[in-house]
Amino acid sequence: MQPTKKILGTKYMTYAEKRNFALDFPNYEVRRSIDLYVYLAAAHLRLKKRPNTNWINLHNDFGLDNCIGYHFWNAASVSQKPWVTTLELPCADDTRLKYLARKQCRKIFCLSSWVMNYEKSFLLNSPYGDEILPKLQLLHPSQEANIDEDSLLAKEFEVCRFIFIDRDFFRKGGYECVKAFTKVLESGFSAELIIVSKMDTKDYPLDAPDEELSHTLQLVEKSKGKIKIFNELSHQEVMQLIASSNVGLLPTYLDSYGYSVLEFFSYGLPAITTNINALIEINSSERGWIIDMPVVDTGHGVKRILRNSLEQRQQASNTLTDYLFQCLSSVLEQPNTIKDKSLAALKYVMENHIKSRNIEILEATYNNF
């Protein structure tokens, strides 16, 4: 008979929690817990039509949860039970810092070196620095390899296939992928582009104009099957598409990390990305291509490409499309570069995102609750 696992609570159970710490632990199970602020945040969203970021990132269990402690995503807790949190983004607000400094907070895992370095720098001038700094620990997401080196080396292709995967088509640069790839086809190159996305106009900070979505669909039609769009697929189907592709695309305007890049790497796909936040430490010229877009610090170390007006949006789109076209053309002109970058991408995942190591680190922390 297997021993009963100890229960750890968390605020939500989204992709982020499942991806980073709701793992297959030998001795622990992570479950969604009771939390006053979840209900307050939901009510605020319904009434005000916008999220309350303070309530989203706070937790109060009133001592009612049947768990030994908590692991949160970005959040801080008023609970008397021990807890840890994972910071996806730098934290600089006094409300959370006050709770992060309390003894109940045992560890603060930083998702990237970008977050870790900013947090250290910020805390040097914070009254909470002495309490919080010793708790910081870098812990990248885990990613299991989905192909071995021999199989990757044996992989052959007649036509180079690029793939873009993200529900936020416009924010992640999907529109620019289609525009740049259209120019690639017009230049006489033979290639394919796979798009897996919801294809709506949701974007940040402004929704995409309907004309951009219409233009996208027109270009797809014009490609005569060279650009394929899939709106809804199972996880297994998406992984099969990655496995049969050669280069991953994430030319994003705003991202904290970029999980799809790790998934590309796990199949030996080098990636084309922008230079946003943690992407510059995940991707590199050794295992992919980085598009050096002009970025601005919008506060507390968060960098993004400005698109606050229709004029800025158009300018950024034109610039990114031109860079992407140059990059795609270079790849197709020198297809032999894909193999070396593919091996480097796979080795990077195998050496730096080991799931068993992350489980060991997290369990060691929970054991001290």
Side-chain angles (χ1 to χ4, degrees):
M1 184 177 179
Q2 291 185 338
T4 302
K5 292 185 178 183
K6 298 176 182 178
I7 304 302
L8 294 165
T10 193
K11 273 180 71 73
Y12 301 100
M13 191 58 77
T14 66
Y15 180 79
E17 287 84 1
K18 294 174 183 177
R19 191 70 169 69
N20 288 280
F21 55 81
L23 306 175
D24 297 325
F25 296 113
N27 302 304
Y28 297 92
E29 180 182 350
V30 180
R31 296 180 183 174
R32 190 170 177 183
S33 60
I34 297 170
D35 178 22
L36 167 68
Y37 287 106
V38 167
Y39 301 109
L40 290 176
H44 185 279
L45 183 61
R46 284 196 302 270
L47 293 172
K48 302 291 186 178
K49 307 302 180 184
R50 64 180 186 274
N52 184 306
T53 54
N54 286 331
W55 289 348
I56 288 173
N57 289 323
L58 288 177
H59 168 265
N60 190 340
D61 62 353
F62 293 103
L64 298 175
D65 280 324
N66 183 25
C67 60
I68 65 165
Y70 300 97
H71 194 148
F72 302 113
W73 179 253
N74 288 321
S77 181
V78 306
S79 175
Q80 295 304 307
K81 291 181 178 179
W83 55 274
V84 301
T85 195
T86 296
L87 292 182
E88 168 200 20
L89 299 169
C91 175
D93 62 273
D94 281 345
T95 302
R96 275 190 293 163
L97 289 171
K98 176 177 68 175
Y99 293 115
L100 291 172
R102 295 172 69 222
K103 65 179 181 180
Q104 285 82 2
C105 175
R106 302 296 176 81
K107 187 76 71 174
I108 302 164
F109 293 107
C110 297
L111 194 64
S112 62
S113 297
W114 156 58
V115 173
M116 181 87 162
N117 294 338
Y118 177 85
E119 206 64 35
K120 283 183 175 180
S121 176
F122 175 81
L123 288 168
L124 289 176
N125 298 310
S126 168
Y128 303 108
D130 290 344
E131 289 78 16
I132 295 177
L133 280 167
K135 302 178 185 181
L136 298 177
Q137 181 173 343
L138 178 63
L139 190 65
H140 284 279
S142 60
Q143 177 65 62
E144 295 179 298
N146 287 300
I147 193 173
D148 57 54
E149 291 186 31
D150 290 340
S151 298
L152 182 58
L153 287 170
K155 186 176 178 180
E156 299 290 343
F157 59 93
E158 295 181 3
V159 177
C160 186
R161 175 183 283 181
F162 299 89
I163 186 166
F164 170 92
I165 301 171
D166 204 284
R167 62 187 300 173
D168 293 333
F169 178 76
F170 286 96
R171 178 167 66 88
K172 300 301 181 78
Y175 180 43
E176 289 70 25
C177 287
V178 171
K179 290 197 296 180
F181 193 79
T182 298
K183 294 176 66 176
V184 164
L185 295 177
E186 291 171 348
S187 299
F189 290 105
S190 179
E192 295 179 353
L193 172 62
I194 301 296
I195 301 284
V196 182
S197 183
K198 291 177 64 177
M199 300 300 296
D200 59 28
T201 57
K202 180 181 178 182
D203 199 358
Y204 179 87
L206 303 172
D207 283 348
D210 291 336
E211 292 79 7
E212 290 188 2
L213 181 55
S214 298
H215 187 216
T216 299
L217 299 177
Q218 290 170 7
L219 293 177
V220 172
E221 181 70 22
K222 181 181 176 182
S223 77
K224 297 181 179 179
K226 297 296 184 180
I227 305 175
K228 296 182 175 69
I229 294 179
F230 299 90
N231 299 110
E232 294 289 342
L233 292 175
S234 68
H235 178 74
Q236 182 179 2
E237 289 172 323
V238 172
M239 295 302 106
Q240 289 173 348
L241 284 175
I242 295 176
S244 63
S245 298
N246 306 104
V247 177
L249 302 175
L250 187 64
T252 180
Y253 286 106
L254 177 63
D255 242 303
S256 57
Y257 199 84
Y259 296 117
S260 63
V261 174
L262 295 185
E263 292 173 338
F264 294 148
F265 286 176
S266 76
Y267 283 95
L269 271 65
I272 299 174
T273 70
T274 44
N275 53 331
I276 291 295
N277 299 322
L279 280 170
I280 58 173
E281 62 191 84
I282 305 168
N283 200 14
S284 73
S285 59
E286 180 187 27
R287 49 189 175 268
W289 301 263
I290 296 181
I291 295 172
D292 191 20
M293 288 287 287
V295 299
V296 297
D297 189 328
T298 56
H300 304 304
V302 179
K303 295 181 175 61
R304 65 182 177 92
I305 300 162
L306 280 184
R307 298 159 77 230
N308 293 332
S309 67
L310 290 176
E311 182 180 358
Q312 285 183 342
R313 181 187 183 89
Q314 186 62 56
Q315 182 178 357
S317 182
N318 291 340
T319 301
L320 181 54
T321 300
D322 289 343
Y323 280 143
L324 260 176
F325 170 68
Q326 295 170 23
C327 194
L328 294 172
S329 299
S330 176
V331 173
L332 293 169
E333 287 169 352
Q334 300 174 301
N336 291 335
T337 61
I338 296 176
K339 188 70 72 175
D340 289 340
K341 291 178 185 286
S342 294
L343 282 170
L346 180 61
K347 288 179 179 178
Y348 169 79
V349 161
M350 295 173 68
E351 294 171 2
N352 296 280
H353 295 267
I354 304 170
K355 186 175 183 179
S356 60
R357 185 169 62 194
N358 280 25
I359 286 176
E360 183 179 335
I361 290 170
L362 291 171
E363 281 221 333
T365 302
Y366 305 150
N367 288 342
N368 291 320
F369 278 8

